[in-house]
Amino acid sequence: MAFRRFLRGTVPWPTLEGAVREVMDRYDLETARVVFLDADNWLSTPCVVNDELFVKVVTEQNSLVHALLTAGRNLGAFSSGTEGFFERFDAPIEMAEHELEANERMREIGVNAPEPKEAFEYDDVAVMVLEYLPDFRALDELPPEEVRSHAVDLFRNLERMHDNNLAHGDLQRENVLVSGGELYFIDATKVDEEAIEDARAYDTACALGALEPLIGGRDAVAAALEVHDPGELMAAREFLDFVNIRPEHDFDGAAVKGEIEKHAA
């Protein structure tokens, strides 16, 4: 537990307070109601300001943890028979700027993402500001029937990203939000664009892994087949074991593989 706390790291309160005051100055806010979100804080300290702005504070410790996670993911990709395609960041501001850029690119191609505002440095941390989505729920907070109604759209949005040489790279249930009846995508990570085909298969495997505990392997694969052909799902199948060992995923890999193989036969 001590090691986990070390990895998470903490931001000194004066730094957090100063960063929020800087946001207030930049957005002409006379007062601010700040709510810090209940999160693991592996890669940032997130908070909401006045139910309008979503703010992440990123430290050097966060960028170190991201580098360690990236190395592990690349080893996992290698174990799946491909070269690693995840890329690291050299500084907190790079992490913040990448998330803004990823959100902007998704919005440009018609994929919903919170509106990016800005990223800036304050003392030794990076501060990222996004639109705050009202009344959102993460995918795993929805009842099964509602998840089923969004499942095909999940794969269609990923396909649109991939067709535009963009991959999410960290798709999980918590990174797919529903607001106003529509899907929104957050927390895309950095992926080598020259390895888009492998990243595409990995994203699809992550989507299957995210959906299986919520709606079952048969319905998850059936939704994927509305967008992908069986050959594409066989490519995703190669990443399922790697995806399943990640702590944010826990699904019946054998059931998903069996459904894929049934349709590929």
Side-chain angles (χ1 to χ4, degrees):
M1 289 299 295
F3 182 65
R4 289 170 64 87
R5 286 195 296 270
F6 168 75
L7 286 179
R8 283 194 183 98
T10 57
V11 184
W13 178 250
T15 301
L16 280 177
E17 185 178 31
V20 170
R21 290 190 179 277
E22 180 68 19
V23 170
M24 292 173 63
D25 290 342
R26 287 169 178 258
Y27 292 89
D28 297 323
L29 302 176
E30 293 185 2
T31 61
R33 186 173 69 90
V34 181
V35 178
F36 289 93
L37 302 185
D38 183 16
D40 279 339
N41 297 348
W42 293 104
L43 301 179
S44 69
T45 299
C47 65
V48 178
V49 179
N50 290 355
D51 290 331
E52 296 178 2
L53 301 174
F54 180 66
V55 178
K56 285 185 176 182
V57 178
V58 186
T59 67
E60 287 283 355
Q61 188 82 346
N62 296 141
S63 62
L64 170 62
V65 171
H66 184 273
L68 293 173
L69 293 175
T70 298
R73 289 171 182 172
N74 282 329
L75 284 174
F78 182 77
S79 72
S80 299
T82 185
E83 294 185 8
F85 44 80
F86 299 98
E87 297 187 339
R88 56 168 291 173
F89 301 99
D90 293 324
I93 191 62
E94 290 185 12
M95 291 177 63
E97 289 174 341
H98 169 78
E99 186 162 348
L100 288 181
E101 179 186 353
N103 279 30
E104 185 61 40
R105 289 184 64 187
M106 283 190 281
R107 289 166 63 89
E108 287 174 353
I109 64 176
V111 174
N112 291 328
E115 178 186 355
K117 301 291 188 180
E118 65 174 324
F120 60 89
E121 291 181 291
Y122 177 84
D123 284 351
D124 295 326
V125 301
V127 181
M128 184 198 68
V129 186
L130 296 171
E131 164 197 21
Y132 178 66
L133 296 176
D135 301 322
F136 73 85
R137 290 179 294 169
L139 199 64
D140 58 355
E141 297 173 335
L142 303 177
E145 285 309 310
E146 194 170 346
V147 175
R148 286 188 181 90
S149 72
H150 291 294
V152 175
D153 197 33
L154 171 59
F155 290 103
R156 284 178 178 154
N157 276 282
L158 285 177
E159 182 77 354
R160 182 170 294 178
M161 291 185 212
H162 300 152
D163 287 345
N164 287 273
N165 211 36
L166 176 66
H168 188 283
D170 192 23
L171 192 81
Q172 51 182 288
R173 293 184 289 276
E174 293 182 353
N175 290 345
V176 182
L177 309 180
V178 178
S179 179
E182 296 188 355
L183 295 183
Y184 284 76
F185 294 80
I186 62 172
D187 291 349
T189 195
K190 192 175 183 182
V191 172
D192 183 357
E193 291 188 359
E194 294 184 1
I196 189 63
E197 289 304 317
D198 288 331
R200 171 188 183 122
Y202 176 78
D203 272 354
T204 303
C206 286
L208 290 167
L211 289 172
E212 191 280 330
L214 305 178
I215 62 174
R218 183 176 62 182
D219 287 352
V221 172
L225 286 167
E226 293 289 324
V227 179
H228 301 287
D229 61 45
E232 290 172 323
L233 293 194
M234 285 298 291
R237 179 193 179 281
E238 299 304 312
F239 287 101
L240 286 172
D241 288 339
F242 165 41
V243 172
N244 212 7
I245 64 173
R246 293 186 54 183
E248 59 269 25
H249 287 278
D250 184 14
F251 61 94
D252 188 342
V256 177
K257 288 180 183 179
E259 289 295 324
I260 292 173
E261 291 163 358
K262 181 173 67 177
H263 289 281

